[in-house]
Amino acid sequence: MRFVALAVIIFSVPVFMVLLQQNARYRRYLYFAVGFLPFVISAWNLDAAIISWATWPGQTKGVVITLLDALALAIVIRSRRSPMVFPFTALFIAYIGAASLSILFSNNPQASFFYAWQLGTVLLVFWAVANIAMTKDGPKMIIAGLVCGITLQAGFSISQKLSGVVQASGTMGHQNLLGVATHFALYPSLAMLMATKKAKLPLLGVIAGLIVVAFGASRATIGLAGIGVMLIIFLSMVRKPSARKTKVAVIGLVVLAIATPIAVASLQQRFAITSTEGSNEERQAFERAAKMIWADHPMGIGANQYVVIANTEGYSQKAGVIWNRGSRSAPVHNSYLLVAAETGFIGLLCFILLISVPIIAAFRFAWSNRGDPRGDMAVGIGVTLIIFALHSFYEWVMLTWVIQYMLAIATGMLAGLITHRKITKRAAVAAKRKERLEESDSGVPALAKSA
């Protein structure tokens, strides 16, 4: 069955290429799928493993390809544009290089290679999204896919909550994974809602995102969602105020006020079962173990190795991580420390740059193009990455393929917008230069000559 799935995914590449070439309607559907697929790949089994280590305790469990990888490859090939022209490409390659370098320090090089492979597929999705964002309706279709994906998860979250589940996880297996994924749909939706009159789809994304946040009952997700919503409203108003944005801001604050008691009730229900104090102590123990590993292995222990090394070399025991399956089989709940422990100083630096450089670029684009509505989209992406960076202090799922796909989609859209803007400016400069040359050659202004 595994080989059948592999064959289907591999042979889907030429099918996607034909569909991309045929007409604009098919292209729009496929662009939509890029945003939608990360939410359903696991639940719908839209992946296949070339090598599978299903019981491996690391974040990457084999050499896996997904239907999104096949679609991304088709888009990149079909575009016929060098992927190296896009900003942030070097950052992705550097991080892949750091993960690959860590293989040399790994007790299990094959397991570390799995993570480098995963990053390679993430880079492929980044290139595909950057190409899509160069088209007129591409970014809107990707965000439409994200909105429909989070709406689907909201539907499952409501069903789970009504069934008595304390922390709804949708179809993504864990509430924290779904909570982080929500950031990538919620903030771009809110940014579009404030900027455009076509508000149905963005409004759906905001409502669905807040439902998922409230029913997931994750402290970090709830707190950061509130910060993110306020930040989007503030920055969008500062960048280019308008009567519509003021109206949406007021409505947004009202909706946030309504969602807050629901979120608080979910937290109260959660902590009636589990203790916050115990959860905090466990996180601190994880962090002590990670810091010990990093101190002893400044170049890292190898990507995808944390759980094995923390247990077999006694770091978890020394740090006071409690002895149960849930704790001893989980990585440190801090992506920065996890990256540092596994890939060392080089990996940590590359990871930080991969997040921080696009944040700076997003706000530079937004403020240098205040008259361009795509600047509001850049604000949404910038805030998404800020919240992602903050959330990384409390979660390790940033190293899973689902969230890294989301990161590739966000940065890919930004890279496409920046590249398209540069090409447009160059074309305008070239047109003016040509006009001046025509005037100097004829001695007559070009407008007068055409008249």
Side-chain angles (χ1 to χ4, degrees), residues 23 58 83 99 126 133 209 212 328 382 391 400 425 438:
N23 61 50
F126 164 79
V212 169
R328 290 298 181 99
H391 209 156
T400 62
K425 284 184 176 180
E438 288 178 353

Side-chain angles (χ1 to χ4, degrees), residues 93 127 145 335 394 415 436 442:
I93 293 175
W127 280 335
S335 291
Y394 305 99
R436 285 196 296 268
S442 64

Side-chain angles (χ1 to χ4, degrees), residues 137 139-144 146-147 185-203 206 232 236 244-245 248 373-381 413:
D137 294 326
K140 293 180 181 178
M141 294 308 300
I142 291 176
I143 291 178
L146 292 170
V147 168
L186 174 58
Y187 309 126
S189 295
L190 180 56
M192 286 186 67
L193 181 63
M194 296 192 70
T196 179
K197 294 180 180 179
K198 297 179 180 179
K200 291 182 180 179
L201 197 64
L203 180 60
V206 172
I232 284 280
S236 185
R244 172 177 174 76
K245 287 184 177 182
V248 172
R374 291 173 298 182
D376 287 288
M377 193 178 298
V379 170
I381 294 170
M413 282 196 292

